[in-house]
Structures are given as C-alpha cells and as structure tokens.
Amino acid sequence: RVLFRSSRMFGVSAEYMYYNLDLRQGVRDSQSLPNASGSLNAVSLNGIVRIPYHLGRFGAYGIFGVGFYRRSETTHQVLPVGAICQPAWIWWDVNCTGNPPSIQNNPQTLGTFTKDAGGYNYGGGMTYRLDHLRNAKLFLEYRHHQAYHSDVMTVVWPITVGLRW
C-alpha cells in the first residue's frame, strides 16, 4: 500500500477499492428494477499524513487523494413504450420525454451499463501496533469518495478494518 515515505510523518500510497452498490429491496420495488445490482471499482493515489504523537500502541493519520472511478449497473429488463420513467433509470441513460416523463417511441432495454469518471477521496484512521508481528498494525479507517460521472455524482463512505505491515 505505501509506495513512498518521505518521512515518518508523510507518505504516498496507491490503492484499489471494490464497493458493492446493490440497491435495497424497497428501492428496487419502487423504481421497477426487480433484479438490479451495481458496483464501483476505484484506483487512487493518496497522500498520507501521520500524526506524530502516539498514545501507547495507538496512532492516527489523515489520508487524501485523487482517483479513477468505474461505476457499473446491471439489470435485465425491457421498458415498454408508455412506461413512466423512474429516477433510478438515469443511471442507464434511458431517454424519457413528455409529461409525465415516459418511454415515448421505442421500447428500451436495461442491461449492463458502465461509466468512468475522475474523483477524489479524503478521510482518516487509527492504528494499533502489534508487537508479535514486525511492523504490523491493525487499522480502522473512514473515507469519503466522490466521483463526477456524467449522469450523477457517485459518493461512497466506506469504513475499513484491516491489517497493514
């Protein structure tokens, strides 16, 4: 994870993240998407600032960076002419017109749809140094990731627990 450490306080890391974006059942039902699923893949380059003061084995750090985000949605269904458009359909670039917005001319198919965008992230974490494993630390981290896809802004707030060495 750490690519470069300029000092005990500053470093740079590269990361890969997979985030499951499945819709809750209530949202699937209300948006006429019975079998929809989604995911987010991200690659980021981050700066790390370690707080120089420790409380025993505990440490803290801040992290911020920029990245490339790929959002994918999948469902398999045909939207017939006259179907009233749902807000979630914007992810699939469904063409809705009229009042109320509906499918006007030709049936449209929802399938797998992928969009790429740039974005950023920031957050922080705490570490707990393990004595029996050289340089190993347990960590708890909170991050805010935001990507600017052409249809909507994608935001995720993962909480990660792990082991780093």
Side-chain angles (χ1 to χ4, degrees):
R1 173 180 155 127
V2 175
L3 294 177
F4 172 74
R5 187 177 286 178
S6 64
S7 70
R8 290 183 59 111
M9 196 169 153
F10 299 104
V12 176
S13 71
E15 295 179 332
Y16 167 77
M17 176 185 76
Y18 171 83
Y19 197 76
N20 184 3
L21 294 176
D22 277 348
L23 300 168
R24 286 180 273 171
Q25 191 60 47
V27 173
R28 288 181 193 177
D29 294 342
S30 70
Q31 300 294 303
S32 302
L33 297 167
N35 58 359
S37 64
S39 65
L40 180 70
N41 290 277
V43 176
S44 62
L45 185 61
N46 308 296
I48 301 172
V49 179
R50 291 173 195 78
I51 297 174
Y53 303 104
H54 292 85
L55 293 172
R57 294 181 182 195
F58 289 95
Y61 62 93
I63 189 165
F64 57 93
V66 295
F68 171 79
Y69 296 82
R70 172 169 279 181
R71 190 188 72 220
S72 298
E73 298 86 19
T74 302
T75 190
H76 301 288
Q77 66 190 78
V78 175
L79 305 174
V81 171
I84 302 299
C85 289
Q86 302 298 318
W89 295 357
I90 193 171
W91 282 20
W92 284 271
D93 283 344
V94 170
N95 185 15
C96 296
T97 58
N99 191 10
S102 61
I103 307 296
Q104 294 289 320
N105 299 323
N106 298 314
Q108 295 186 41
T109 302
L110 299 182
T112 299
F113 195 75
T114 299
K115 286 201 172 184
D116 298 329
Y120 67 91
N121 71 84
Y122 62 87
M126 295 179 53
T127 61
Y128 179 78
R129 189 180 71 250
L130 301 173
D131 280 343
H132 58 283
L133 296 173
R134 183 174 168 85
N135 296 326
K137 294 178 182 178
L138 292 174
F139 72 93
L140 172 67
E141 182 177 280
Y142 168 81
R143 298 275 279 280
H144 173 96
H145 289 264
Q146 191 162 319
Y148 297 94
H149 292 93
S150 62
D151 52 359
V152 295
M153 183 172 35
T154 302
V155 178
V156 294
W157 301 287
I159 296 174
T160 308
V161 177
L163 177 67
R164 163 179 311 146
W165 63 92

